[in-house]
């Protein structure tokens, strides 16, 4: 599975955009990038995922570079409730081409401050 | 978004007993479900992949006879921790993959806290 690299922690002011980077330089052509977040003592919450094109939904935007070696998750107007650990995961492919598992790294601890 | 429900959310059991945790996809079918465990201040660790109607695939180092997984329907997978010991105390989380084409979304349950005393 392609490995991802994320900063261990970030701070963001409430109301500002939070931009969370992720490097995945070994990603292959058919591997998707998924983003989840986990608030303390809860299961991970799905945020967004994408392959090549930028994606946007009601929670966030995902910007994937043209070479696909990195991506950025954007929370447009961060609130205190967005404080969580954010995981960037590249979902690998099994032998035979089927999609593999989600393997979690250490993620980025985002702290949104008043 | 799609909902995955786990039950119970918290359970305390005595050493040597077995405990079952259920994982249900409430509004979609899930051929594939996944089970994770998480220790305090650590990331999620994949334990096994559960496929409806077939045997689960366990990750290296996970004892299949201790962590029994059953995926009897497209909306339900269960994890049974057999002969539980205090070191099995952990946060257990399931996830379910919405059956679609490539690029499926995987949704996680709320997690189940297991305490073995």
């Amino acid at each position: 599975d392609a490995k991802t690299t994320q900063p261990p922690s970030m701070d963001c002011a409430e109301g500002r955009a939070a931009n969370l980077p992720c490097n995945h330089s070994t990603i292959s052509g058919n591997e998707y990038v998924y983003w989840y977040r986990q608030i303390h003592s809860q299961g991970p919450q799905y945020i967004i995922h994408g392959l090549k094109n930028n994606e946007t939904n009601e929670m966030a935007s995902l910007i994937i570079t043209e070479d696909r070696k990195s991506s950025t998750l954007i929370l447009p107007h961060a609130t205190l409730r967005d404080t969580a650990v954010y995981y960037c995961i590249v979902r690998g492919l099994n032998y035979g081409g089927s999609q593999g598992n989600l393997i979690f790294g250490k993620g980025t601890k985002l702290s949104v401050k008043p | 978004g799609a909902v995955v429900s786990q039950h119970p959310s918290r359970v305390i059991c005595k050493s040597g007993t077995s405990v079952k945790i259920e994982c249900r996809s409430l509004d979609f079918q899930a051929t594939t479900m996944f089970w994770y465990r998480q220790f305090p201040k650590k990331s999620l660790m994949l334990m096994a992949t559960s496929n409806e109607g077939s045997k689960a695939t366990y990750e290296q180092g996970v004892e299949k006879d201790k962590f029994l997984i059953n995926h009897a329907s497209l909306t339900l997978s269960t994890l049974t921790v057999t002969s539980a010991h205090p070191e099995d105390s952990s946060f257990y989380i399931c996830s379910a993959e919405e059956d679609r084409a490539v690029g499926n979304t995987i949704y996680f349950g709320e997690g189940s806290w297991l305490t073995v005393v």
Side-chain angles (χ1 to χ4, degrees):
Chain A
D1 294 345
K3 184 180 173 63
T4 63
T5 303
Q6 298 178 254
S9 64
M10 290 182 64
D11 290 341
C12 178
E14 188 178 19
R16 297 280 193 161
N19 296 287
L20 292 96
C22 180
N23 285 322
H24 31 78
S25 58
T26 60
I27 194 170
S28 65
N30 295 323
E31 293 178 325
Y32 281 74
V33 180
Y34 286 77
W35 282 83
Y36 288 83
R37 71 181 183 185
Q38 187 177 28
I39 296 170
H40 183 60
S41 299
Q42 298 180 24
Q45 179 187 20
Y46 168 78
I47 301 174
I48 201 166
H49 73 284
L51 181 64
K52 296 179 183 177
N53 299 322
N54 297 337
E55 302 287 344
T56 296
N57 61 22
E58 64 277 6
M59 286 183 69
S61 294
L62 174 60
I63 308 298
I64 303 174
T65 57
E66 192 169 341
D67 63 8
R68 300 187 70 239
K69 292 184 177 182
S70 66
S71 60
T72 301
L73 178 75
I74 302 174
L75 308 178
H77 304 287
T79 71
L80 299 179
R81 288 178 294 179
D82 291 323
T83 293
V85 178
Y86 287 76
Y87 296 98
C88 168
I89 305 168
V90 171
R91 190 176 186 190
L93 297 175
N94 294 323
Y95 180 76
S98 64
Q99 288 191 288
N101 306 317
L102 292 178
I103 304 299
F104 284 75
K106 296 183 178 179
T108 296
K109 182 174 173 55
L110 176 68
S111 298
V112 181
K113 299 181 182 300
Chain B
V3 178
V4 175
S5 179
Q6 281 185 242
H7 176 81
S9 57
R10 289 183 180 274
V11 59
I12 300 173
C13 72
K14 293 183 177 180
S15 285
T17 63
S18 297
V19 62
K20 180 186 287 188
I21 301 170
E22 293 186 346
C23 178
R24 294 181 184 273
S25 57
L26 297 184
D27 54 1
F28 64 97
Q29 293 187 334
T31 303
T32 304
M33 291 185 174
F34 306 88
W35 286 96
Y36 294 79
R37 70 187 295 183
Q38 186 176 29
F39 292 107
K41 298 185 179 181
K42 299 292 185 181
S43 190
L44 283 78
M45 184 191 78
L46 179 65
M47 298 175 67
T49 301
S50 167
N51 292 298
E52 187 266 339
S54 64
K55 291 183 179 181
T57 303
Y58 289 82
E59 296 298 303
Q60 192 172 8
V62 178
E63 300 177 59
K64 62 180 181 180
D65 294 330
K66 180 166 185 62
F67 299 99
L68 300 179
I69 292 172
N70 182 278
H71 192 159
S73 79
L74 288 173
T75 59
L76 174 64
S77 177
T78 60
L79 169 69
T80 302
V81 182
T82 63
S83 186
H85 289 101
E87 57 264 31
D88 298 323
S89 299
S90 187
F91 189 46
Y92 291 87
I93 311 167
C94 74
S95 63
E97 181 168 13
E98 188 177 15
D99 288 343
R100 286 191 301 164
V102 180
N104 293 349
T105 302
I106 297 177
Y107 298 98
F108 284 78
E110 313 98 317
S112 299
W113 285 99
L114 170 63
T115 302
V116 184
V117 297

mmCIF file of all heavy atoms in Angstrom, chain B residues 28-63:
data_model
loop_
_atom_site.group_PDB
_atom_site.id
_atom_site.type_symbol
_atom_site.label_atom_id
_atom_site.label_comp_id
_atom_site.label_asym_id
_atom_site.label_seq_id
_atom_site.Cartn_x
_atom_site.Cartn_y
_atom_site.Cartn_z
ATOM 1 N N PHE B 28 -27.560 0.324 3.790
ATOM 2 C CA PHE B 28 -26.928 -0.137 2.560
ATOM 3 C C PHE B 28 -26.445 -1.566 2.768
ATOM 4 O O PHE B 28 -26.309 -2.033 3.889
ATOM 5 C CB PHE B 28 -25.758 0.766 2.146
ATOM 6 C CG PHE B 28 -24.594 0.787 3.119
ATOM 7 C CD1 PHE B 28 -23.481 -0.010 2.908
ATOM 8 C CD2 PHE B 28 -24.623 1.610 4.228
ATOM 9 C CE1 PHE B 28 -22.422 0.011 3.792
ATOM 10 C CE2 PHE B 28 -23.561 1.643 5.114
ATOM 11 C CZ PHE B 28 -22.454 0.844 4.908
ATOM 12 N N GLN B 29 -26.219 -2.230 1.669
ATOM 13 C CA GLN B 29 -25.692 -3.590 1.732
ATOM 14 C C GLN B 29 -24.167 -3.553 1.719
ATOM 15 O O GLN B 29 -23.564 -2.753 0.989
ATOM 16 C CB GLN B 29 -26.210 -4.423 0.561
ATOM 17 C CG GLN B 29 -27.699 -4.676 0.635
ATOM 18 C CD GLN B 29 -28.172 -5.639 -0.439
ATOM 19 O OE1 GLN B 29 -27.558 -5.748 -1.495
ATOM 20 N NE2 GLN B 29 -29.249 -6.355 -0.173
ATOM 21 N N ALA B 30 -23.594 -4.423 2.490
ATOM 22 C CA ALA B 30 -22.143 -4.443 2.612
ATOM 23 C C ALA B 30 -21.636 -5.871 2.500
ATOM 24 O O ALA B 30 -21.740 -6.642 3.451
ATOM 25 C CB ALA B 30 -21.712 -3.836 3.948
ATOM 26 N N THR B 31 -21.102 -6.187 1.338
ATOM 27 C CA THR B 31 -20.498 -7.498 1.169
ATOM 28 C C THR B 31 -19.258 -7.633 2.031
ATOM 29 O O THR B 31 -18.945 -8.716 2.530
ATOM 30 C CB THR B 31 -20.112 -7.709 -0.304
ATOM 31 O OG1 THR B 31 -21.273 -7.553 -1.120
ATOM 32 C CG2 THR B 31 -19.510 -9.084 -0.529
ATOM 33 N N THR B 32 -18.572 -6.526 2.209
ATOM 34 C CA THR B 32 -17.309 -6.548 2.943
ATOM 35 C C THR B 32 -17.386 -5.629 4.152
ATOM 36 O O THR B 32 -17.813 -4.481 4.052
ATOM 37 C CB THR B 32 -16.152 -6.099 2.041
ATOM 38 O OG1 THR B 32 -16.115 -6.919 0.870
ATOM 39 C CG2 THR B 32 -14.821 -6.221 2.771
ATOM 40 N N MET B 33 -16.980 -6.173 5.285
ATOM 41 C CA MET B 33 -16.864 -5.387 6.517
ATOM 42 C C MET B 33 -15.477 -5.611 7.095
ATOM 43 O O MET B 33 -14.824 -6.621 6.802
ATOM 44 C CB MET B 33 -17.941 -5.791 7.518
ATOM 45 C CG MET B 33 -19.356 -5.391 7.088
ATOM 46 S SD MET B 33 -20.562 -5.772 8.373
ATOM 47 C CE MET B 33 -22.044 -5.050 7.696
ATOM 48 N N PHE B 34 -15.038 -4.687 7.900
ATOM 49 C CA PHE B 34 -13.700 -4.731 8.461
ATOM 50 C C PHE B 34 -13.773 -4.542 9.974
ATOM 51 O O PHE B 34 -14.620 -3.807 10.471
ATOM 52 C CB PHE B 34 -12.821 -3.612 7.877
ATOM 53 C CG PHE B 34 -12.757 -3.595 6.368
ATOM 54 C CD1 PHE B 34 -13.692 -2.896 5.635
ATOM 55 C CD2 PHE B 34 -11.753 -4.268 5.697
ATOM 56 C CE1 PHE B 34 -13.645 -2.864 4.247
ATOM 57 C CE2 PHE B 34 -11.695 -4.251 4.313
ATOM 58 C CZ PHE B 34 -12.633 -3.546 3.589
ATOM 59 N N TRP B 35 -12.869 -5.207 10.663
ATOM 60 C CA TRP B 35 -12.785 -5.047 12.117
ATOM 61 C C TRP B 35 -11.408 -4.511 12.501
ATOM 62 O O TRP B 35 -10.376 -5.010 12.031
ATOM 63 C CB TRP B 35 -13.041 -6.379 12.821
ATOM 64 C CG TRP B 35 -14.478 -6.775 12.780
ATOM 65 C CD1 TRP B 35 -15.091 -7.610 11.894
ATOM 66 C CD2 TRP B 35 -15.500 -6.339 13.689
ATOM 67 N NE1 TRP B 35 -16.431 -7.717 12.182
ATOM 68 C CE2 TRP B 35 -16.710 -6.952 13.274
ATOM 69 C CE3 TRP B 35 -15.516 -5.497 14.803
ATOM 70 C CZ2 TRP B 35 -17.917 -6.744 13.946
ATOM 71 C CZ3 TRP B 35 -16.713 -5.300 15.459
ATOM 72 C CH2 TRP B 35 -17.903 -5.912 15.036
ATOM 73 N N TYR B 36 -11.435 -3.475 13.357
ATOM 74 C CA TYR B 36 -10.222 -2.844 13.845
ATOM 75 C C TYR B 36 -10.237 -2.859 15.370
ATOM 76 O O TYR B 36 -11.296 -2.961 15.993
ATOM 77 C CB TYR B 36 -10.147 -1.377 13.402
ATOM 78 C CG TYR B 36 -10.001 -1.128 11.919
ATOM 79 C CD1 TYR B 36 -11.096 -1.216 11.064
ATOM 80 C CD2 TYR B 36 -8.768 -0.776 11.376
ATOM 81 C CE1 TYR B 36 -10.964 -0.975 9.699
ATOM 82 C CE2 TYR B 36 -8.627 -0.522 10.008
ATOM 83 C CZ TYR B 36 -9.728 -0.619 9.190
ATOM 84 O OH TYR B 36 -9.597 -0.357 7.825
ATOM 85 N N ARG B 37 -9.062 -2.714 15.944
ATOM 86 C CA ARG B 37 -8.980 -2.414 17.370
ATOM 87 C C ARG B 37 -8.056 -1.213 17.540
ATOM 88 O O ARG B 37 -7.199 -0.944 16.687
ATOM 89 C CB ARG B 37 -8.515 -3.627 18.178
ATOM 90 C CG ARG B 37 -7.070 -4.016 17.989
ATOM 91 C CD ARG B 37 -6.746 -5.325 18.691
ATOM 92 N NE ARG B 37 -6.855 -5.232 20.143
ATOM 93 C CZ ARG B 37 -6.566 -6.232 20.962
ATOM 94 N NH1 ARG B 37 -6.155 -7.408 20.487
ATOM 95 N NH2 ARG B 37 -6.695 -6.086 22.258
ATOM 96 N N GLN B 38 -8.273 -0.508 18.626
ATOM 97 C CA GLN B 38 -7.497 0.704 18.873
ATOM 98 C C GLN B 38 -7.188 0.793 20.355
ATOM 99 O O GLN B 38 -8.096 0.778 21.195
ATOM 100 C CB GLN B 38 -8.274 1.941 18.426
ATOM 101 C CG GLN B 38 -7.482 3.238 18.507
ATOM 102 C CD GLN B 38 -8.269 4.414 17.959
ATOM 103 O OE1 GLN B 38 -9.487 4.448 18.005
ATOM 104 N NE2 GLN B 38 -7.552 5.401 17.412
ATOM 105 N N PHE B 39 -5.898 0.926 20.681
ATOM 106 C CA PHE B 39 -5.469 1.144 22.050
ATOM 107 C C PHE B 39 -5.357 2.646 22.288
ATOM 108 O O PHE B 39 -5.217 3.421 21.338
ATOM 109 C CB PHE B 39 -4.139 0.436 22.301
ATOM 110 C CG PHE B 39 -4.260 -1.058 22.274
ATOM 111 C CD1 PHE B 39 -3.762 -1.803 21.213
ATOM 112 C CD2 PHE B 39 -4.914 -1.741 23.299
ATOM 113 C CE1 PHE B 39 -3.894 -3.183 21.185
ATOM 114 C CE2 PHE B 39 -5.041 -3.118 23.279
ATOM 115 C CZ PHE B 39 -4.536 -3.832 22.217
ATOM 116 N N PRO B 40 -5.418 3.052 23.541
ATOM 117 C CA PRO B 40 -5.381 4.486 23.869
ATOM 118 C C PRO B 40 -4.200 5.199 23.220
ATOM 119 O O PRO B 40 -3.069 4.720 23.256
ATOM 120 C CB PRO B 40 -5.278 4.493 25.392
ATOM 121 C CG PRO B 40 -5.937 3.223 25.803
ATOM 122 C CD PRO B 40 -5.573 2.211 24.752
ATOM 123 N N LYS B 41 -4.502 6.309 22.599
ATOM 124 C CA LYS B 41 -3.512 7.186 21.980
ATOM 125 C C LYS B 41 -2.768 6.523 20.826
ATOM 126 O O LYS B 41 -1.710 6.993 20.422
ATOM 127 C CB LYS B 41 -2.522 7.713 23.018
ATOM 128 C CG LYS B 41 -3.167 8.553 24.095
ATOM 129 C CD LYS B 41 -2.146 9.160 25.041
ATOM 130 C CE LYS B 41 -2.844 10.024 26.099
ATOM 131 N NZ LYS B 41 -1.875 10.654 27.040
ATOM 132 N N LYS B 42 -3.322 5.460 20.308
ATOM 133 C CA LYS B 42 -2.734 4.785 19.152
ATOM 134 C C LYS B 42 -3.698 4.848 17.977
ATOM 135 O O LYS B 42 -4.876 5.178 18.131
ATOM 136 C CB LYS B 42 -2.436 3.315 19.483
ATOM 137 C CG LYS B 42 -1.462 3.126 20.614
ATOM 138 C CD LYS B 42 -0.072 3.581 20.212
ATOM 139 C CE LYS B 42 0.935 3.267 21.319
ATOM 140 N NZ LYS B 42 2.308 3.718 20.962
ATOM 141 N N SER B 43 -3.187 4.523 16.813
ATOM 142 C CA SER B 43 -4.040 4.523 15.638
ATOM 143 C C SER B 43 -4.810 3.203 15.538
ATOM 144 O O SER B 43 -4.579 2.272 16.302
ATOM 145 C CB SER B 43 -3.178 4.720 14.389
ATOM 146 O OG SER B 43 -3.999 4.957 13.272
ATOM 147 N N LEU B 44 -5.730 3.155 14.601
ATOM 148 C CA LEU B 44 -6.510 1.938 14.402
ATOM 149 C C LEU B 44 -5.636 0.858 13.777
ATOM 150 O O LEU B 44 -4.837 1.114 12.876
ATOM 151 C CB LEU B 44 -7.683 2.202 13.462
ATOM 152 C CG LEU B 44 -8.890 2.922 14.021
ATOM 153 C CD1 LEU B 44 -8.636 4.400 14.139
ATOM 154 C CD2 LEU B 44 -10.104 2.679 13.136
ATOM 155 N N MET B 45 -5.831 -0.359 14.250
ATOM 156 C CA MET B 45 -5.102 -1.500 13.702
ATOM 157 C C MET B 45 -6.103 -2.476 13.095
ATOM 158 O O MET B 45 -7.016 -2.947 13.775
ATOM 159 C CB MET B 45 -4.310 -2.194 14.803
ATOM 160 C CG MET B 45 -3.446 -3.338 14.287
ATOM 161 S SD MET B 45 -2.768 -4.348 15.601
ATOM 162 C CE MET B 45 -4.185 -5.343 16.040
ATOM 163 N N LEU B 46 -5.943 -2.761 11.819
ATOM 164 C CA LEU B 46 -6.844 -3.687 11.150
ATOM 165 C C LEU B 46 -6.644 -5.101 11.697
ATOM 166 O O LEU B 46 -5.515 -5.592 11.761
ATOM 167 C CB LEU B 46 -6.593 -3.662 9.644
ATOM 168 C CG LEU B 46 -7.455 -4.595 8.797
ATOM 169 C CD1 LEU B 46 -8.926 -4.180 8.859
ATOM 170 C CD2 LEU B 46 -6.964 -4.617 7.353
ATOM 171 N N MET B 47 -7.757 -5.723 12.073
ATOM 172 C CA MET B 47 -7.694 -7.100 12.581
ATOM 173 C C MET B 47 -8.046 -8.102 11.486
ATOM 174 O O MET B 47 -7.369 -9.115 11.318
ATOM 175 C CB MET B 47 -8.671 -7.284 13.740
ATOM 176 C CG MET B 47 -8.400 -6.414 14.939
ATOM 177 S SD MET B 47 -9.678 -6.607 16.179
ATOM 178 C CE MET B 47 -9.424 -8.290 16.696
ATOM 179 N N ALA B 48 -9.139 -7.826 10.790
ATOM 180 C CA ALA B 48 -9.606 -8.804 9.824
ATOM 181 C C ALA B 48 -10.584 -8.178 8.849
ATOM 182 O O ALA B 48 -11.200 -7.154 9.135
ATOM 183 C CB ALA B 48 -10.285 -9.971 10.546
ATOM 184 N N THR B 49 -10.703 -8.836 7.707
ATOM 185 C CA THR B 49 -11.680 -8.458 6.695
ATOM 186 C C THR B 49 -12.728 -9.542 6.641
ATOM 187 O O THR B 49 -12.406 -10.736 6.524
ATOM 188 C CB THR B 49 -11.006 -8.318 5.324
ATOM 189 O OG1 THR B 49 -9.984 -7.339 5.403
ATOM 190 C CG2 THR B 49 -12.023 -7.916 4.257
ATOM 191 N N SER B 50 -13.981 -9.124 6.700
ATOM 192 C CA SER B 50 -15.098 -10.058 6.754
ATOM 193 C C SER B 50 -15.892 -9.972 5.465
ATOM 194 O O SER B 50 -16.321 -8.897 5.067
ATOM 195 C CB SER B 50 -15.981 -9.670 7.950
ATOM 196 O OG SER B 50 -17.225 -10.304 7.919
ATOM 197 N N ASN B 51 -16.058 -11.075 4.809
ATOM 198 C CA ASN B 51 -16.816 -11.122 3.566
ATOM 199 C C ASN B 51 -18.060 -11.978 3.756
ATOM 200 O O ASN B 51 -17.979 -13.094 4.283
ATOM 201 C CB ASN B 51 -15.972 -11.708 2.434
ATOM 202 C CG ASN B 51 -14.837 -10.793 2.051
ATOM 203 O OD1 ASN B 51 -15.049 -9.671 1.614
ATOM 204 N ND2 ASN B 51 -13.626 -11.266 2.217
ATOM 205 N N GLU B 52 -19.177 -11.471 3.323
ATOM 206 C CA GLU B 52 -20.453 -12.165 3.489
ATOM 207 C C GLU B 52 -20.416 -13.544 2.861
ATOM 208 O O GLU B 52 -20.024 -13.687 1.694
ATOM 209 C CB GLU B 52 -21.577 -11.313 2.883
ATOM 210 C CG GLU B 52 -22.975 -11.867 3.143
ATOM 211 C CD GLU B 52 -23.478 -12.738 2.009
ATOM 212 O OE1 GLU B 52 -22.977 -12.611 0.894
ATOM 213 O OE2 GLU B 52 -24.383 -13.550 2.265
ATOM 214 N N GLY B 53 -20.758 -14.513 3.655
ATOM 215 C CA GLY B 53 -20.859 -15.880 3.161
ATOM 216 C C GLY B 53 -19.543 -16.625 3.057
ATOM 217 O O GLY B 53 -19.524 -17.768 2.587
ATOM 218 N N SER B 54 -18.462 -16.041 3.478
ATOM 219 C CA SER B 54 -17.179 -16.751 3.416
ATOM 220 C C SER B 54 -16.369 -16.475 4.671
ATOM 221 O O SER B 54 -16.750 -15.649 5.502
ATOM 222 C CB SER B 54 -16.395 -16.356 2.159
ATOM 223 O OG SER B 54 -16.063 -14.990 2.202
ATOM 224 N N LYS B 55 -15.248 -17.162 4.787
ATOM 225 C CA LYS B 55 -14.421 -16.998 5.982
ATOM 226 C C LYS B 55 -13.725 -15.647 5.978
ATOM 227 O O LYS B 55 -13.358 -15.115 4.920
ATOM 228 C CB LYS B 55 -13.379 -18.115 6.044
ATOM 229 C CG LYS B 55 -13.964 -19.488 6.324
ATOM 230 C CD LYS B 55 -12.859 -20.532 6.445
ATOM 231 C CE LYS B 55 -13.443 -21.900 6.761
ATOM 232 N NZ LYS B 55 -12.374 -22.931 6.903
ATOM 233 N N ALA B 56 -13.515 -15.144 7.163
ATOM 234 C CA ALA B 56 -12.816 -13.862 7.285
ATOM 235 C C ALA B 56 -11.335 -14.035 6.973
ATOM 236 O O ALA B 56 -10.769 -15.118 7.142
ATOM 237 C CB ALA B 56 -13.002 -13.309 8.693
ATOM 238 N N THR B 57 -10.731 -12.963 6.546
ATOM 239 C CA THR B 57 -9.288 -12.926 6.313
ATOM 240 C C THR B 57 -8.656 -12.135 7.441
ATOM 241 O O THR B 57 -8.958 -10.953 7.621
ATOM 242 C CB THR B 57 -8.969 -12.256 4.969
ATOM 243 O OG1 THR B 57 -9.634 -12.951 3.918
ATOM 244 C CG2 THR B 57 -7.468 -12.261 4.716
ATOM 245 N N TYR B 58 -7.765 -12.796 8.188
ATOM 246 C CA TYR B 58 -7.175 -12.173 9.363
ATOM 247 C C TYR B 58 -5.807 -11.596 9.028
ATOM 248 O O TYR B 58 -5.051 -12.162 8.233
ATOM 249 C CB TYR B 58 -7.028 -13.206 10.488
ATOM 250 C CG TYR B 58 -8.355 -13.619 11.083
ATOM 251 C CD1 TYR B 58 -9.151 -14.586 10.480
ATOM 252 C CD2 TYR B 58 -8.815 -13.035 12.257
ATOM 253 C CE1 TYR B 58 -10.371 -14.951 11.015
ATOM 254 C CE2 TYR B 58 -10.032 -13.402 12.807
ATOM 255 C CZ TYR B 58 -10.803 -14.348 12.176
ATOM 256 O OH TYR B 58 -12.006 -14.707 12.709
ATOM 257 N N GLU B 59 -5.501 -10.483 9.675
ATOM 258 C CA GLU B 59 -4.172 -9.886 9.521
ATOM 259 C C GLU B 59 -3.152 -10.704 10.314
ATOM 260 O O GLU B 59 -3.499 -11.425 11.268
ATOM 261 C CB GLU B 59 -4.193 -8.442 9.995
ATOM 262 C CG GLU B 59 -5.091 -7.545 9.158
ATOM 263 C CD GLU B 59 -4.642 -7.455 7.709
ATOM 264 O OE1 GLU B 59 -3.476 -7.071 7.472
ATOM 265 O OE2 GLU B 59 -5.470 -7.772 6.820
ATOM 266 N N GLN B 60 -1.915 -10.547 9.919
ATOM 267 C CA GLN B 60 -0.849 -11.295 10.585
ATOM 268 C C GLN B 60 -0.821 -10.957 12.061
ATOM 269 O O GLN B 60 -0.895 -9.781 12.449
ATOM 270 C CB GLN B 60 0.491 -10.941 9.935
ATOM 271 C CG GLN B 60 1.618 -11.842 10.341
ATOM 272 C CD GLN B 60 2.876 -11.571 9.518
ATOM 273 O OE1 GLN B 60 2.922 -10.615 8.756
ATOM 274 N NE2 GLN B 60 3.874 -12.407 9.668
ATOM 275 N N GLY B 61 -0.722 -11.985 12.881
ATOM 276 C CA GLY B 61 -0.641 -11.782 14.318
ATOM 277 C C GLY B 61 -1.980 -11.768 15.029
ATOM 278 O O GLY B 61 -2.010 -11.725 16.259
ATOM 279 N N VAL B 62 -3.070 -11.813 14.309
ATOM 280 C CA VAL B 62 -4.396 -11.836 14.925
ATOM 281 C C VAL B 62 -4.878 -13.285 14.983
ATOM 282 O O VAL B 62 -4.937 -13.959 13.952
ATOM 283 C CB VAL B 62 -5.397 -10.981 14.129
ATOM 284 C CG1 VAL B 62 -6.783 -11.056 14.756
ATOM 285 C CG2 VAL B 62 -4.912 -9.539 14.047
ATOM 286 N N GLU B 63 -5.212 -13.746 16.185
ATOM 287 C CA GLU B 63 -5.609 -15.144 16.360
ATOM 288 C C GLU B 63 -7.053 -15.364 15.927
ATOM 289 O O GLU B 63 -7.991 -14.866 16.553
ATOM 290 C CB GLU B 63 -5.483 -15.522 17.832
ATOM 291 C CG GLU B 63 -4.084 -15.396 18.411
ATOM 292 C CD GLU B 63 -4.087 -15.714 19.900
ATOM 293 O OE1 GLU B 63 -4.481 -16.840 20.262
ATOM 294 O OE2 GLU B 63 -3.728 -14.841 20.687
#
